[in-house]
Amino acid sequence: MRIHPSPSDIERISTGYDDAPEKSCSLHAEAYTDPLWSELDRHAIIRRSWQWVCHTEKLRNRGAYLTAEVGGVPVFVVRTGDGRLQGFSNVCKHRAMQLLSGEGVLSKIMCPYHGWTYNLDGRLIRAPATEHLVNFEADTVCLDRIQVEEFCGFVFVNLDAGAAPLSRQSGDLADELDFWAPDVEQLTFARRLTYDIHSNWKNVVDNFLECYHCPIAHKDFCTLVDMQTYKVTTHGIYSSHMAEAGTSSNSAYPVDNATVRDHAVWWLWPNTCLMRYPGRGNMIVMQIIPDGPARTLETYDFFLEDPEPVAQEHEAIRYLDEVLQAEDIWLVENVQRGMSTPAFTQGRIVYDPDGSGKSEHGVHHFHGLVLEAYRSMLAA
């Protein structure tokens, strides 16, 4: 599969896009349906961007580790003996066996294939039956390192060794999260929801980045928040989506005695969504994982004040799972089908200079970052 676009590929896919959202069309449908762009998404976007792994609570103790996959590459993160976080490719240097699975606590890393053993800094400390090898020095062997960063109570990794730190790339995001969700690091994991969606991942992101569709498709949600206060603001590699909670009863889930009174949501390039809904202290992390031209895997992780949700939180989770997500999945799967027909090439971006929820400038911002990533492959 070709993964380096030609200049003509880039010109074709960017035709109609304009830096000014009020003049711009969306990405071409081809970007959502052609395997070329799906492979490019993996190599030019996912493997070169900061990817969410977990809440810091998973890796607070020394020896704690967690495995993940980033753009098809198995990785793991571990808390070393001196308290640092280290990230590595989850591949043995002997015969490419996957070293670890799941999560847990360990003092050393032993390959389940031939017993090659590494310390928590990734250096090989034991290789059975290698004493007769010529030009082999075990202490020169080390697992491939990847970048890892603790950011606002969460752990992120990046396969691109030259990528700038997330804290630098993300501008004022840390300050926003600290203001709107100062309790993130004290929250604890409570629930995970998983979804297998028959749509390109960029359709899923597009849908998340605008509430133009909300009055039509999410009528219950529009009683949960005051849509007149909904505002979308774009910044660098993220966008914020803010609204006040509704002032009357709603049909989504009960928010009696809520301590969080605002709907505060952030999208972080390219596929992480941080959401704080009305209710008790909470943070929901949605990870949008590309898996081919027309398939997306999605996880919803709920971090709450307690590991067991209270009754109102159970209702909130039920609403998000059975109502809001069901509505959105139906939308993006139908959009994907439409994009796969000759009837659609691209559409206009709807723009409101006041940045209201009816505006699609957040989608336009995402498309600009996608095109920038694609163009970066021309020089690679």
Side-chain angles (χ1 to χ4, degrees), residues 269-327:
W269 166 261
N271 58 331
T272 301
C273 307
L274 307 171
M275 303 178 281
R276 189 160 168 100
Y277 272 63
R280 294 205 307 162
N282 71 92
M283 181 64 75
I284 308 163
V285 180
M286 179 172 71
Q287 190 76 343
I288 299 166
I289 305 165
D291 191 35
R295 187 186 186 204
T296 298
L297 304 178
E298 191 175 82
T299 58
Y300 259 65
D301 285 300
F302 291 80
F303 299 95
L304 307 175
E305 294 180 13
D306 302 294
E308 180 56 38
V310 299
Q312 290 184 345
E313 290 167 338
H314 274 294
E315 279 300 302
I317 293 170
R318 183 205 60 78
Y319 163 71
L320 288 169
D321 181 29
E322 299 178 10
V323 180
L324 191 61
Q325 271 294 91
E327 292 167 345

Side-chain angles (χ1 to χ4, degrees), residues 113-131:
Y113 196 1
H114 298 100
W116 281 36
T117 305
Y118 305 82
N119 66 17
L120 299 187
D121 288 321
R123 289 180 290 112
L124 183 66
I125 56 176
R126 181 174 180 267
T130 57
E131 61 271 16

Side-chain angles (χ1 to χ4, degrees), residues 47-66:
R47 292 186 182 180
R48 292 188 173 191
S49 59
W50 286 98
Q51 294 290 305
W52 181 83
V53 174
C54 66
H55 191 284
T56 54
E57 71 171 352
K58 288 279 189 183
L59 297 169
R60 281 185 180 141
N61 298 324
R62 296 185 180 186
Y65 75 90
L66 185 77

Side-chain angles (χ1 to χ4, degrees), residues 83-308:
R84 292 177 300 144
L85 276 186
Q86 295 269 24
F88 299 98
S89 291
N90 192 9
V91 177
C92 183
K93 301 303 285 187
H94 174 221
R95 293 271 297 282
M97 180 67 180
Q98 180 171 306
L99 292 164
L100 300 172
S101 60
E103 61 186 77
V105 178
L106 42 68
S107 59
K108 58 183 179 295
I109 302 157
M110 187 176 77
C111 179
Y113 196 1
H114 298 100
W116 281 36
T117 305
Y118 305 82
N119 66 17
L120 299 187
D121 288 321
R123 289 180 290 112
L124 183 66
I125 56 176
R126 181 174 180 267
T130 57
E131 61 271 16
H132 301 300
L133 300 186
V134 177
N135 297 326
F136 176 76
E137 297 179 9
D139 59 3
T140 66
V141 177
C142 186
L143 299 176
D144 287 357
R145 297 180 187 277
I146 63 170
Q147 290 206 72
V148 59
E149 184 172 343
E150 294 183 73
F151 179 79
C152 296
F154 297 109
V155 177
F156 290 79
V157 297
N158 196 322
L159 301 186
D160 182 1
L166 178 57
S167 57
R168 189 192 313 164
Q169 288 190 32
S170 59
D172 294 331
L173 177 58
D175 291 336
E176 286 194 34
L177 286 167
D178 185 59
F179 177 81
W180 291 100
D183 57 347
V184 167
E185 293 195 29
Q186 286 71 53
L187 299 176
T188 188
F189 175 76
R191 288 289 185 277
R192 166 169 278 197
L193 303 176
T194 60
Y195 305 93
D196 190 336
I197 304 172
H198 301 298
S199 174
N200 186 270
W201 74 281
K202 294 188 291 294
N203 265 329
V204 179
V205 175
D206 286 351
N207 181 72
F208 182 85
L209 291 177
E210 50 91 354
C211 217
Y212 185 37
H213 68 283
C214 292
I216 304 298
H218 300 314
K219 296 189 183 301
D220 295 313
F221 176 81
C222 291
T223 68
L224 179 65
V225 304
D226 180 357
M227 292 301 296
Q228 297 301 313
T229 66
Y230 202 110
K231 187 173 181 62
V232 178
T233 310
T234 61
H235 326 250
I237 65 165
Y238 77 97
S239 57
S240 60
H241 306 248
M242 304 293 183
E244 297 174 7
T247 56
S248 58
S249 60
N250 73 82
S251 56
Y253 63 86
V255 292
D256 303 335
N257 303 315
T259 55
V260 175
R261 296 296 306 165
D262 296 285
H263 171 76
V265 170
W266 299 265
W267 166 79
L268 175 62
W269 166 261
N271 58 331
T272 301
C273 307
L274 307 171
M275 303 178 281
R276 189 160 168 100
Y277 272 63
R280 294 205 307 162
N282 71 92
M283 181 64 75
I284 308 163
V285 180
M286 179 172 71
Q287 190 76 343
I288 299 166
I289 305 165
D291 191 35
R295 187 186 186 204
T296 298
L297 304 178
E298 191 175 82
T299 58
Y300 259 65
D301 285 300
F302 291 80
F303 299 95
L304 307 175
E305 294 180 13
D306 302 294
E308 180 56 38

Side-chain angles (χ1 to χ4, degrees), residues 16-93:
Y17 177 86
D18 193 282
D19 288 339
E22 65 271 22
K23 300 178 181 179
S24 188
C25 290
S26 63
L27 293 176
H28 278 240
E30 176 187 334
Y32 300 81
T33 59
D34 193 311
L36 165 66
W37 302 104
S38 178
E39 280 301 298
L40 199 58
D41 289 344
R42 181 198 297 258
H43 290 271
I45 297 178
I46 302 302
R47 292 186 182 180
R48 292 188 173 191
S49 59
W50 286 98
Q51 294 290 305
W52 181 83
V53 174
C54 66
H55 191 284
T56 54
E57 71 171 352
K58 288 279 189 183
L59 297 169
R60 281 185 180 141
N61 298 324
R62 296 185 180 186
Y65 75 90
L66 185 77
T67 62
E69 188 173 289
V70 176
V73 176
V75 302
F76 71 91
V77 181
V78 63
R79 182 77 66 178
T80 62
D82 60 4
R84 292 177 300 144
L85 276 186
Q86 295 269 24
F88 299 98
S89 291
N90 192 9
V91 177
C92 183
K93 301 303 285 187

